Amino acid sequence: MVARTPKTTRSKPSSRSRRVSNAAASGDRRRLLVAMRNLIAEKLDEGSISSRDLASLTKRLADMSAEIEAIDKASNEHDPAMQALDTEDERLDEHED
């Protein structure tokens, strides 16, 4: 008689883990950073982060946000519409003749 091993059931990955894994698979660094940032933020909001991990994860969250901002700024440097928005307005003197 052959012994049967019980089948292990795999739990379905959560939508959050799929978002992170899909972002990683995409090869888009910004997309991956955003997915990881959002996951960490959700976990912090849930209160499911241990006290010992809180400081390092909040630091990492801030680092990711800064990196996303840098990526966005670099991509906006080549966008004429964004350059126009970043241009300071000239002062209009109404009393010039």
Side-chain angles (χ1 to χ4, degrees):
M1 174 171 215
V2 177
R4 292 186 182 182
T5 57
K7 290 185 178 180
T8 57
T9 58
R10 289 186 181 178
S11 61
K12 189 175 181 181
S14 71
S15 62
R16 280 181 259 169
S17 66
R18 282 196 304 261
R19 285 192 308 247
V20 174
S21 63
N22 288 343
S26 75
D28 182 345
R29 179 154 179 79
R30 185 189 185 284
R31 182 175 169 199
L32 177 59
L33 287 168
V34 168
M36 291 188 311
R37 179 199 63 188
N38 293 346
L39 177 62
I40 291 171
E42 288 171 9
K43 293 295 183 181
L44 288 170
D45 286 345
E46 290 172 2
S48 60
I49 302 297
S50 69
S51 298
R52 71 165 193 264
D53 295 333
L54 186 60
S56 64
L57 284 174
T58 53
K59 168 79 168 94
R60 188 64 188 126
L61 184 64
D63 292 345
M64 281 187 238
S65 294
E67 195 170 344
I68 292 166
E69 186 177 330
I71 290 170
D72 289 346
K73 187 173 183 174
S75 67
N76 289 339
E77 287 178 358
H78 303 292
D79 183 356
M82 293 306 293
Q83 287 177 350
L85 289 173
D86 285 341
T87 303
E88 205 168 309
D89 292 337
E90 293 181 20
R91 186 156 185 87
L92 182 62
D93 190 5
E94 295 178 14
H95 302 290
E96 283 188 23
D97 292 324

